[in-house]
């Protein structure tokens, strides 16, 4: 057996762990502390191979229900604090994942500065926050965690006391004590408004201050001003696919709250600038444009008569307060005594500030124009506008079909649109889109579904008029399977002026197809060929500068397994590229990634760099959700690290020379086709071809219990069905993670590697092909987090012994094949041998996860046997929360 290297806790983990122990002793009592410490130490010894420790009784069965709840909370909090400690030590940061390193790498490869700036001029990088329910922790828990991070940062700088006078160590202890006494579980299911508020806290408190500061850093690295190419997006409040609670009202509320937040930030910044820019005309010459702004401000205070910058900013502030009232319907928190006309758009606001910046730059050798607060504010306006984050709309194509069918029928255009074949649908829709005549009538009666969908588009049109066209730019069509699915969006947009026909038609919101299943991905190039083959559509796309295509990781994985999903996504991206080149339109891919590897998770830096050649070209959007949002963007420091990694990877993926020769590309691709086919068959045979598999899944995993977690506003299944096909990908992946199987992240790969005769070729691929290397690295992490010994305990929950033995036997055999095959082609003696930091991170957590799993299994048994004590249900949900926290990317 390979000897494992010792685990060395970083100092932060030891420090925070000791404080947690002190809190448990102080608030839970000496008995709880000693019992918790005994279980912890015994479990650690077992996992570290201490002689005889494997026979040690952990004593879990001697815990009362109340002690069980306290114990689970303690282990969950340790995992949360360990995550924080590792993030602070840069475990999540990757070598070379910063812009300066990327620029040096490109320069070494002969890519000059001019090429970099040309790419950035047309680039767009967007992390899109979604409300997909994989964050199990309450926001209150995350807030305390982030406060601890802030206090630890003070400790790093040698500061002993906070600005309020509290001793830093005592303040950290206080936050941990608050965590211990904070209710972990939500009592009510989240509403859309709750999800909006949560996302808003990240956008307002992290993205708003972090991005302008990042741009300042990048300006220095580039030696000139960086184009504002990276900005945030959101689905929260606009994603209606399967969520009946997202309505026109929730859309309006999401947009209004975002606008209020960003305008509040601008008001504070302008107010601070007014205090700072105390330049007097008695000492300094003043630019004519600043004098004009000062004179127009209406600020006649004698105390500021010689301070034109302050008077100019008083006028800008007055206009901004009027803008706040106009856009939010609320007066500004700190009203102005002056009267001002609301800014018509962010450009006008920016222009006034740029005039001040130019004036400052013209004097004193530009000493006051080096950026600073004014530069960051101008950058913020460019990045966030008056809308903060661009909000996408999303709905299923089947809904659009029904809505359009009703509109056409009521208008007397077509009695049975749904009966038409694709060619007839396209012909009819194009004819309707060629004229300005509306289909809707205020005198007609429509179904509730049609009324609701039209209300959404009407609200989007209102938002364009209120906040500007940047507030909503994309309409995602889930399950897009034809050109008509996209034309239907334009028809709905036309009803409210967002699509305008004519000799040069325009679309203020872009219809974006989402290709999700393996079949959809294979059909994508043909659909986009036909779509861009429509002259009016191609003209709109060229005028816009690009057409977006979204590719989904979650459903393609559930449909075809890990390896086939990743390869199908890569092949679809590659096949789409010539389609766009032939149409003369830039392609923008939107990657629908989740937190877990089975849903596209893993390193964004590695994933972007592993994209097929020619498919990035400076433009990429990526979904961020659930626990990933808190992990990546919970603090300004982690946000800066992750945003810079996305930007750097995009530069490298777009400009680096192709690493593979044409010959290697061909032979590697052929090998992938073969192993993907084998993996696909193995996965489909197990999940969809095994009698009783859905029963096995529902009895082995806590899928039923997970539905009790109040972590999202959206239902877990698309339909009232227990079929795997109808289950959403998130609970599918989440359930397997809880049971420590992680099946969506590896099953079928071992079969494929075992069956492939040329292992040396696979080793070459693992060494020299970024796509394959990234795929294996993600799978390796999943295999390291899974545990077939514990999974077997979960399998014992399956009532039918024959079913249990057959299905779990196949799973265990598949896991062994995946591990052995990966080790063979990567040349390792054990998992993660080449990734010591990740290995340490995972092995540190394993002793804390195992007791949680064992307790969860016993509680599930009791609950399913009919015990009704509420503490049993609470214990199950707490254990789900704790295991997810420890695993980090479980959803």
């Amino acid at each position: 057996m390979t000897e494992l290297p010792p685990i060395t806790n970083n100092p932060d983990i030891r420090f925070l762990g000791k404080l947690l122990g002190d809190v448990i002793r102080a608030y839970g009592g000496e008995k709880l502390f000693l019992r918790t410490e005994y279980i912890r130490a015994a479990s650690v010894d077992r996992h570290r191979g201490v002689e005889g420790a494997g026979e040690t009784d952990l004593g879990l069965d001697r815990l009362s229900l109340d002690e069980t709840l306290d114990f689970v909370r303690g282990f969950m909090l340790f995992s949360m604090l360990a995550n924080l400690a590792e993030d602070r030590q840069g475990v999540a940061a990757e070598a070379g994942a910063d812009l300066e390193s990327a620029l040096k790498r490109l320069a070494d490869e002969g890519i000059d500065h001019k090429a970099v700036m040309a790419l950035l001029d047309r680039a767009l990088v967007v992390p899109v926050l979604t409300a997909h329910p994989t964050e199990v922790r309450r926001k209150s828990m995350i807030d305390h965690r982030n406060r601890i991070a802030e206090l630890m940062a003070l400790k790093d700088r040698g500061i002993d006391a906070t600005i309020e006078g509290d001793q830093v160590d005592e303040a950290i202890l206080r936050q941990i004590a608050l965590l211990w006494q904070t209710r972990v579980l939500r009592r009510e299911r989240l509403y859309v408004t709750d999800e909006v508020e949560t996302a808003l806290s990240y956008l307002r408190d992290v993205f708003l201050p972090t991005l302008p500061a990042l741009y300042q850093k990048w300006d220095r690295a580039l030696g000139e001003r960086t184009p504002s190419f990276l900005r945030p997006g959101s689905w929260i409040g606009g994603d209606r696919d399967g969520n009946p609670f997202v309505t026109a009202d929730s859309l309006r509320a999401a947009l209004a709250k975002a606008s209020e937040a960003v305008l509040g930030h601008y008001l504070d910044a302008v107010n601070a600038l007014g205090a700072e820019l105390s330049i007097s005309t008695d000492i300094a010459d003043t630019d004519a444009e600043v004098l004009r702004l000062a004179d127009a401000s209406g600020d006649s205070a004698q105390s500021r008569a010689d301070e034109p910058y302050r008077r100019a900013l008083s006028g800008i502030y007055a206009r901004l307060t009027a803008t706040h009232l106009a856009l939010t319907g609320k007066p500004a928190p700190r009203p102005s005594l002056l009267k001002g006309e609301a800014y018509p758009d962010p450009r006008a606001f920016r222009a006034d500030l740029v005039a001040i910046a130019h004036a400052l730059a013209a004097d004193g050798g530009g000493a006051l124009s080096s950026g600073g607060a004014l530069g960051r504010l101008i950058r913020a306006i460019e990045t966030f506008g008056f809308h903060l984050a661009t909000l996408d709309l999303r709905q299923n194509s089947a809904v659009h079909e029904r809505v359009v069918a009703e509109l056409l029928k009521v208008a007397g255009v077509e009695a049975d649109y749904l009966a038409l074949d694709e060619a007839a649908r396209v012909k009819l829709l194009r004819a309707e889109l060629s004229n300005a005549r509306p289909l809707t009538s205020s005198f007609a009666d429509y179904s509730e579904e049609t009324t609701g969908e039209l209300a959404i588009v009407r609200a989007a049109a209102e938002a364009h008029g209120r906040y500007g066209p940047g507030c909503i730019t994309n309409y995602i069509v889930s399950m897009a399977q034809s050109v008509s699915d996209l034309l239907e969006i334009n028809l709905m947009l036309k009803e409210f002026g967002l699509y305008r026909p004519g000799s040069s038609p325009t679309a203020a919101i872009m219809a974006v197809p989402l290709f999700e299943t393996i079949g959809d991905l294979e059909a994508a190039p043909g659909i986009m060929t036909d779509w861009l083959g429509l002259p009016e559509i191609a003209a709109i796309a060229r005028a816009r500068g690009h057409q977006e295509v979204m590719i989904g990781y979650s459903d393609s994985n559930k449909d075809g397994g890990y390896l086939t999903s990743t390869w199908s996504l890569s092949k679809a991206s590659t096949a789409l590229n010539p389609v766009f080149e032939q149409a003369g339109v830039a392609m923008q891919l939107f990657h629908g990634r989740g937190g877990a590897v089975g849903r596209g998770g893993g390193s964004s830096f590695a994933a972007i760099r592993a994209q097929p050649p020619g498919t990035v070209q400076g433009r990429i959007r990526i979904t961020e959700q659930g626990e990933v949002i808190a992990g990546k963007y919970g603090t300004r420091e982690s946000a800066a690290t992750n945003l810079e990694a996305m930007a750097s990877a995009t530069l490298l993926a777009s400009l680096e020379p192709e690493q593979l020769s044409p010959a290697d590309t061909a032979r590697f691709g052929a090998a992938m086709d073969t192993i993907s086919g084998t993996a696909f068959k193995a996965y489909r045979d197990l999940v969809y071809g095994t009698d009783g598999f859905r029963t096995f899944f529902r009895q082995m995993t806590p899928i039923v219990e997970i539905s009790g977690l109040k972590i999202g506003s959206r239902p877990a299944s698309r339909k009232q069905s227990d079929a795997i096909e109808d289950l959403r990908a998130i609970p599918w992946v989440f359930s397997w993670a809880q049971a420590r199987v992680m099946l969506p992240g590896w099953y079928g790969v071992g079969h494929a590697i075992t069956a492939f005769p040329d292992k040396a070729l696979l080793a070459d691929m693992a060494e020299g092909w970024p796509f394959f290397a990234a795929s294996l690295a993600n799978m390796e992490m999943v295999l390291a987090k899974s545990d077939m010994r514990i999974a077997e305990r979960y399998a014992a929950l399956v009532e039918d012994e024959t079913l249990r033995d057959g299905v779990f036997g196949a799973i265990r055999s598949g896991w062994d094949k995946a591990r052995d095959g990966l080790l063979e082609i990567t040349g390792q003696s054990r998992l993660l041998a080449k990734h010591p930091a990740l290995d340490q991170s995972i092995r540190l957590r394993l002793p804390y996860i195992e007791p949680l799993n064992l307790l969860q299994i016993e509680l599930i048994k009791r609950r399913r046997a009919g015990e009704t004590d509420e503490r049993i249900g609470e214990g199950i949900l707490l254990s789900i929360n704790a295991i997810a926290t420890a695993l980090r990317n479980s959803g």
Side-chain angles (χ1 to χ4, degrees):
M1 180 177 178
T2 303
E3 185 175 343
L4 298 176
I7 295 176
T8 54
N9 291 357
N10 72 47
D12 284 355
I13 291 179
R14 289 196 296 271
F15 171 71
L16 293 171
K18 178 185 179 302
L19 292 185
L20 175 60
D22 293 342
V23 165
I24 292 174
R25 179 187 281 113
Y27 290 91
E30 187 71 16
K31 179 182 176 184
L32 175 66
F33 170 77
L34 292 175
R35 184 156 291 184
T36 300
E37 181 61 19
Y38 170 79
I39 296 171
R40 184 199 69 79
S43 187
V44 168
D45 287 348
R46 285 171 60 164
H47 275 267
R48 295 185 181 176
V50 175
E51 187 175 353
E55 307 303 320
T56 301
D57 179 10
L58 296 181
L60 297 174
D61 58 344
R62 293 190 291 279
L63 293 173
S64 69
L65 280 175
D66 287 335
E67 288 172 332
T68 295
L69 298 182
D70 287 339
F71 169 78
V72 172
R73 282 195 301 124
F75 268 40
M76 182 205 66
L77 291 180
F78 175 81
S79 296
M80 178 186 287
L81 295 173
N83 294 347
L84 166 62
E86 289 186 346
D87 290 345
R88 284 174 31 74
Q89 296 296 325
V91 171
E94 296 164 86
D98 61 278
L99 196 72
E100 196 165 340
S101 296
L103 293 174
K104 183 180 184 307
R105 184 182 181 104
L106 290 172
D108 291 344
E109 293 171 341
I111 310 299
D112 63 19
H113 180 78
K114 186 177 179 180
V116 171
M117 295 308 299
L119 180 81
L120 292 177
D121 278 336
R122 64 177 187 273
L124 179 70
V125 177
V126 182
V128 181
L129 308 187
T130 81
H132 287 18
T134 60
E135 174 56 83
V136 293
R137 297 169 298 176
R138 290 178 63 211
K139 184 64 167 54
S140 298
M141 303 287 289
I142 296 171
D143 289 341
H144 289 307
R145 178 258 190 211
N146 290 345
R147 180 58 181 152
I148 293 170
E150 293 169 1
L151 292 165
M152 293 292 286
L154 294 179
K155 192 176 174 68
D156 290 343
R157 300 198 294 270
I159 298 172
D160 295 327
T162 68
I163 195 170
E164 296 84 7
D166 295 330
Q167 290 295 307
V168 169
D169 284 4
E170 291 178 3
I172 294 171
L173 179 67
R174 189 177 301 118
Q175 289 298 317
I176 294 175
L178 286 169
L179 275 172
W180 177 256
Q181 296 187 98
T182 296
R183 175 169 43 83
V184 175
L185 301 173
R186 299 182 182 94
R187 288 180 174 165
E188 303 293 334
R189 181 172 290 279
L190 283 176
Y191 294 97
V192 177
T193 51
D194 299 318
E195 294 168 337
V196 168
E197 288 290 352
T198 298
L200 196 60
S201 68
Y202 291 106
L203 292 167
R204 179 189 59 236
D205 301 335
V206 178
F207 281 83
L208 259 174
T210 300
L211 268 174
L214 259 184
Y215 277 117
Q216 279 191 321
K217 176 184 176 183
W218 295 343
D219 291 346
R220 291 191 292 270
L222 287 163
E224 60 181 294
R225 196 169 193 276
T226 313
S228 299
F229 68 95
L230 196 157
R231 60 192 70 143
S234 175
W235 274 15
I236 306 173
D239 177 14
R240 306 187 313 293
D241 183 15
N243 191 341
F245 305 111
V246 175
T247 64
D249 286 341
S250 67
L251 176 64
R252 291 189 183 95
L255 291 164
K257 287 179 179 294
S259 183
E260 184 177 354
V262 75
L263 288 171
H265 177 83
Y266 295 159
L267 284 164
D268 289 343
V270 170
N271 184 64
L273 281 171
E276 179 181 341
L277 295 181
S278 55
I279 300 168
S280 171
T281 53
D282 293 345
I283 300 172
D285 293 332
T286 305
D287 180 90
E289 183 61 18
V290 173
L291 290 173
R292 184 191 69 77
L293 288 170
D295 292 342
S297 69
D299 185 354
S300 57
Q302 193 59 37
S303 61
R304 291 187 290 276
D306 67 327
E307 296 172 341
Y309 286 92
R310 279 182 166 169
R311 289 193 293 123
L313 286 163
S314 292
I316 291 171
Y317 188 89
R319 294 194 68 182
L320 200 55
T321 60
T323 307
H324 188 284
L325 180 62
L327 296 189
T328 70
K330 303 176 183 178
R334 188 190 295 115
S336 172
L337 297 177
L338 305 176
K339 290 187 176 181
E341 182 182 349
Y343 283 111
D345 53 48
R347 291 189 300 274
F349 175 36
R350 179 185 180 277
D352 283 353
L353 294 172
V354 168
I356 292 175
H358 286 169
L360 292 170
D363 197 18
L368 294 176
S369 66
S370 59
L374 178 58
R376 288 191 293 274
L377 177 56
I378 291 171
R379 178 69 77 175
I381 298 165
E382 294 175 6
T383 306
F384 303 104
F386 286 160
H387 58 275
L388 184 57
T390 299
L391 184 63
D392 289 356
L393 304 179
R394 183 171 80 129
Q395 183 56 285
N396 195 288
S397 62
V399 175
H400 302 139
E401 286 180 346
R402 294 192 296 269
V403 169
V404 167
E406 184 172 2
L407 292 179
L408 293 170
K409 181 178 181 179
V410 172
V413 175
E414 171 56 54
D416 194 356
Y417 172 77
L418 297 179
L420 300 179
D421 63 19
E422 174 64 8
R425 288 188 183 189
V426 170
K427 181 179 179 180
L428 173 58
L429 293 170
R430 291 184 69 194
E432 285 299 316
L433 286 167
S434 68
N435 68 76
R437 171 180 54 78
L439 288 172
T440 55
S441 168
S442 58
F443 301 104
D445 292 325
Y446 299 100
S447 66
E448 183 178 350
E449 180 177 63
T450 295
T451 301
E453 294 303 312
L454 292 177
I456 284 281
V457 183
R458 181 185 294 108
E462 293 167 358
H464 271 221
R466 182 180 293 267
Y467 308 110
C471 67
I472 300 173
T473 59
N474 300 319
Y475 197 130
I476 313 294
V477 184
S478 299
M479 300 303 292
Q481 297 174 333
S482 64
V483 167
S484 64
D485 287 340
L486 302 178
L487 288 173
E488 287 160 3
I489 296 301
N490 285 345
L491 191 68
M492 293 166 62
L493 294 174
K494 192 190 80 165
E495 291 301 303
F496 301 97
L498 294 172
Y499 181 98
R500 294 184 180 274
S503 57
S504 299
T506 60
I509 294 178
M510 173 172 41
V512 176
L514 167 52
F515 300 114
E516 300 177 82
T517 66
I518 302 300
D520 290 345
L521 290 166
E522 292 172 348
I527 292 172
M528 294 313 296
T529 297
D530 294 342
W531 176 246
L532 295 174
L534 302 178
E536 65 274 25
I537 297 301
I540 291 171
R542 292 189 195 106
R544 183 193 300 119
H546 69 280
Q547 167 68 48
E548 181 169 283
V549 174
M550 184 174 185
I551 50 178
Y553 290 66
S554 303
D555 283 291
S556 60
N557 176 281
K558 187 160 69 74
D559 183 36
Y562 175 63
L563 195 66
T564 301
S565 171
T566 55
W567 181 229
S568 296
L569 289 159
S570 179
K571 287 209 301 181
S573 302
T574 301
L576 284 166
N577 207 31
V579 171
F580 279 77
E581 287 181 355
Q582 186 173 353
V585 176
M587 178 175 69
Q588 178 172 296
L589 288 179
F590 184 10
H591 296 260
R593 289 161 51 95
V597 167
R599 299 186 52 246
S603 163
S604 294
F605 182 71
I608 294 172
R609 291 195 64 196
Q611 292 305 304
T615 62
V616 178
Q617 294 303 307
R619 304 187 71 90
I620 190 167
R621 297 207 306 151
I622 298 176
T623 54
E624 305 278 33
Q625 65 172 55
E627 80 283 4
V628 172
I629 295 176
K632 286 186 175 182
Y633 309 114
T635 66
R636 296 181 188 181
E637 292 77 14
S638 61
T641 297
N642 285 286
L643 291 169
E644 185 160 23
M646 286 183 68
S648 305
T650 302
L651 267 183
L652 293 170
S654 303
L655 294 174
E656 273 194 300
E658 168 56 36
Q659 297 184 29
L660 294 183
S661 66
D664 279 346
T665 298
R667 70 190 186 107
F668 289 177
M672 274 303 304
D673 282 337
T674 299
I675 61 175
S676 171
T678 305
F680 178 77
K681 183 179 186 306
Y683 176 85
R684 294 288 301 189
D685 284 349
L686 176 72
V687 175
Y688 298 102
T690 301
D691 290 339
F693 183 84
R694 73 175 70 171
T695 300
F696 174 90
F697 165 66
R698 290 186 174 275
Q699 291 184 1
M700 176 188 174
T701 74
I703 177 64
V704 175
E705 289 75 16
I706 284 171
S707 64
L709 279 173
K710 304 197 172 44
I711 59 176
S713 65
R714 197 170 67 165
S717 288
R718 291 186 170 90
K719 302 175 184 176
Q720 294 298 315
S721 161
D722 67 349
I724 303 298
E725 294 88 340
D726 295 329
L727 183 68
R728 292 192 181 279
I730 290 170
W732 165 254
V733 172
F734 199 88
S735 301
W736 287 117
Q738 287 286 311
R740 302 295 299 285
V741 180
M742 312 281 196
L743 182 138
W746 56 265
Y747 194 83
V749 183
H751 298 75
I753 293 174
T754 300
F756 194 77
D758 192 347
K759 301 297 191 296
L761 173 56
L762 296 183
D764 287 347
M765 292 161 61
E767 180 68 27
W769 190 13
F771 162 78
F772 196 54
S775 300
L776 291 179
N778 286 337
M779 186 182 81
E780 186 174 5
M781 176 183 68
V782 168
L783 290 172
K785 289 183 177 182
S786 57
D787 189 320
M788 288 299 111
R789 294 179 306 106
I790 295 174
E792 188 172 15
R793 301 281 195 102
Y794 279 92
L797 295 170
V798 178
E799 297 168 4
D800 185 325
E801 183 178 350
T802 302
L803 176 65
R804 175 178 69 233
D805 292 346
V807 176
F808 186 71
I811 290 173
R812 182 164 46 196
S813 173
W815 189 92
D816 289 340
K817 289 177 181 177
R819 177 200 56 198
D820 295 346
L822 182 140
L823 294 179
E824 180 178 2
I825 64 178
T826 59
Q828 299 178 101
S829 58
R830 62 179 180 84
L831 293 173
L832 298 177
K834 295 180 179 179
H835 306 280
L838 181 58
D839 178 48
Q840 287 261 337
S841 172
I842 292 175
R843 288 201 292 123
L844 170 72
R845 281 167 175 71
L846 293 180
Y848 296 86
I849 305 175
E850 180 177 348
L852 295 170
N853 285 123
L854 298 178
L855 281 171
Q856 184 183 90
I857 291 167
E858 291 309 310
L859 291 170
I860 288 174
K861 283 182 183 177
R862 294 173 66 174
R863 179 69 174 269
R864 293 181 184 179
E867 291 192 42
T868 58
D869 192 311
E870 290 183 357
R871 292 172 296 177
I872 294 175
E874 184 180 355
I876 293 171
L877 297 182
L878 274 173
S879 69
I880 291 171
N881 193 305
I883 292 167
T885 300
L887 291 173
R888 303 207 73 173
N889 51 359
S890 60

